Amino acid sequence: MKITFLVANLACGGVERTVSYLSKYFAEHGCDTSIVCISDEQFYDIDKKVQLVKLNIPSQCSGFFDRYEKIVLRFLRIHRALKHLNPDCVICLDAELLRFIRVQRSLGRFKLITSERTNPLMNSDKQRMAKFKSYRNSDGVIFQTKRAQKCFPRDIAEKGIVIPNAVGNEMVFRAPKTIVRRKVITAVGRLTEQKDYPTLLRAFALFLERHSDYTLEIYGDGALKSELRELILKLHIETEVELKGAVKDAVLYVSSSSCYVMSSLYEGMPNALMEALAVGTPCVSTDCPFGPYELIKNGENGLLVPVGDAVALCDAMCRMVEDVRFAERCSENAKKILSEQSIEEVSRKYLDYITGITEGN
């Protein structure tokens, strides 16, 4: 079976991480696997058994005509690439890209499977209607959570399947056992509004009033870097906070920290939180829709707090560093995710679903 992934790029992100481990698994299990990547941006390594096709179309546009030209180029180059690869099934985990292959899909040249990777409740009415149309034109839909699946009309929900993300970062398995934890709080994710780092920074400023010997490390890049730096200065915590940028082995630093914190407003299924749980770092997360509730059993393998509540976030961090026995219990329970959501288990579910769709079952 020939399987092709269509992605905008291979930058640092959840979709890109998923494509990297799924493509490797498919190739290792006898599938002729390829990735068509619109831009050259690449953060994740791709297995040598997987054919990587880069279309060399920059994502940045300098104006209306440049944007129009790049849209036309996407149509043409994607068409040529798929004609050459001749896949049995195209996996497009980014619904925004479905428009570029609608014509080829309608001609029946391949089966098309897409996925809901974000929180559908955050979409505007226009975005929601566009997704409904795209998903109805697909042969299959993969949801990350049951709650996300329930956000869609019955005809879309019923032809889909719920498959959670896997713990797909190989660095997780290289993390050494932590004997003494660093006096550091860690966070990982793009510097975007969705991640609500301002609440984390305010919570950490309160945390320092009780634990002044700790620091905060934030791993990730994004458009809000300058704004966050301004807030850090305003809160007078510039000597205690480090914006580390995007780092491939960030999970190794997370594994030795005292607490991992996710302050998001919303999620799809947060990979970074899954990885922090997998390496046994005591975790605190906002109970945002969707993902954290599916991953954390409050008080058993981590702590959940209300979205946007800096005081509650501070109190949860303090509990993790003050109550050592509680933190250790959370750490041990958190590691169970390694067996529950392993790459092998999740990738097998993907391949079984894709095979069924491709063979018409």
Side-chain angles (χ1 to χ4, degrees):
M1 180 168 56
K2 292 184 177 181
I3 300 175
T4 296
F5 289 91
L6 176 63
V7 296
N9 55 54
L10 289 169
C12 183
V15 167
E16 297 83 1
R17 167 75 74 193
T18 301
V19 169
S20 69
Y21 68 72
L22 285 179
S23 61
K24 179 180 179 181
Y25 179 91
F26 295 167
E28 288 176 342
H29 285 75
C31 297
D32 185 345
T33 310
S34 57
I35 301 172
V36 175
C37 188
I38 294 175
S39 76
D40 287 352
E41 193 175 356
Q42 184 171 349
F43 181 82
Y44 295 110
D45 295 327
I46 299 301
D47 191 86
K48 293 180 180 179
K49 300 183 188 72
V50 178
Q51 183 179 356
L52 179 58
V53 180
K54 292 186 177 181
L55 303 184
N56 304 311
I57 305 173
S59 56
Q60 299 297 324
C61 299
S62 58
F64 173 80
F65 292 106
D66 184 46
R67 179 175 177 273
Y68 180 78
E69 183 181 0
K70 284 187 170 66
I71 288 174
V72 173
L73 276 176
R74 287 186 188 121
F75 273 107
L76 292 174
R77 293 185 184 177
I78 290 172
H79 174 79
R80 290 170 188 163
L82 293 182
K83 186 177 181 180
H84 173 71
L85 293 168
N86 191 28
D88 298 304
C89 185
V90 172
I91 315 296
C92 186
L93 300 184
D94 183 353
E96 291 289 321
L97 300 179
L98 292 177
R99 55 183 170 150
F100 294 108
I101 53 177
R102 189 173 297 157
V103 174
Q104 289 171 294
R105 163 66 185 82
S106 65
L107 295 174
R109 291 179 178 170
F110 49 75
K111 297 294 185 180
L112 175 61
I113 296 176
T114 187
S115 178
E116 178 55 58
R117 312 301 294 181
T118 61
N119 185 329
L121 297 177
M122 299 298 112
N123 296 144
S124 65
D125 288 342
K126 184 178 180 180
Q127 289 172 322
R128 193 175 298 112
M129 290 302 105
K131 275 190 176 181
F132 290 174
K133 183 177 180 180
S134 294
Y135 290 179
R136 286 189 173 108
N137 288 328
S138 301
D139 297 289
V141 184
I142 296 171
F143 302 96
Q144 294 176 299
T145 65
K146 290 182 179 179
R147 288 194 290 169
Q149 186 181 32
K150 290 177 181 178
C151 293
F152 288 85
R154 188 173 180 177
D155 63 319
I156 295 175
E158 287 186 347
K159 75 173 178 179
I161 188 173
V162 176
I163 305 178
N165 281 355
V167 180
N169 187 350
E170 293 181 357
M171 291 286 180
V172 166
F173 304 95
R174 301 181 197 173
K177 185 176 180 180
T178 301
I179 306 301
V180 178
R181 294 195 173 276
R182 298 183 296 140
K183 290 190 174 183
V184 173
I185 307 297
T186 50
V188 178
R190 288 172 174 162
L191 308 184
T192 62
E193 185 178 352
Q194 174 194 346
K195 303 300 181 181
D196 194 17
Y197 284 119
T199 292
L200 172 57
L201 292 172
R202 293 187 182 98
F204 184 68
L206 295 173
F207 174 86
L208 286 174
E209 295 176 8
R210 293 156 66 175
H211 300 281
S212 59
D213 53 343
Y214 276 73
T215 57
L216 170 64
E217 296 174 355
I218 299 177
Y219 294 87
D221 281 321
L224 298 185
K225 181 179 281 188
S226 60
E227 292 181 29
L228 293 176
R229 280 178 173 162
E230 288 179 13
L231 180 57
I232 289 168
L233 291 172
K234 185 177 179 180
L235 293 170
H236 306 293
I237 55 176
E238 60 271 18
T239 59
E240 292 85 13
V241 178
E242 293 184 75
L243 299 180
K244 294 285 194 175
V247 179
K248 282 191 176 183
D249 59 351
V251 71
L252 300 182
Y253 299 99
V254 169
S255 69
S256 62
S257 67
S258 294
C259 181
Y260 176 84
V261 182
M262 193 182 80
S263 53
S264 297
L265 300 173
Y266 62 93
E267 287 286 344
M269 176 60 75
N271 285 287
L273 176 60
M274 290 171 57
E275 292 170 11
L277 290 165
V279 295
T281 302
C283 290
V284 173
S285 173
T286 53
D287 189 11
C288 66
F290 301 121
Y293 180 81
E294 283 78 6
L295 297 170
I296 292 179
K297 294 180 180 178
N298 195 31
E300 292 185 27
N301 64 340
L303 289 172
L304 295 172
V305 301
V307 173
D309 191 333
V311 174
L313 199 59
C314 167
D315 289 342
M317 288 190 286
C318 287
R319 185 179 180 187
M320 283 300 190
V321 302
E322 292 168 2
D323 190 341
V324 177
R325 287 188 178 180
F326 173 73
E328 287 179 350
R329 186 169 74 249
C330 286
S331 172
E332 287 306 308
N333 288 334
K335 294 176 186 176
K336 294 176 183 178
I337 195 175
L338 279 171
S339 58
E340 295 167 354
Q341 292 176 225
S342 67
I343 291 179
E344 182 75 22
E345 179 68 14
V346 170
S347 299
R348 180 186 59 77
K349 288 179 180 179
Y350 264 88
L351 188 54
D352 287 347
Y353 183 64
I354 293 165
T355 301
I357 293 291
T358 303
E359 294 180 355
N361 298 325

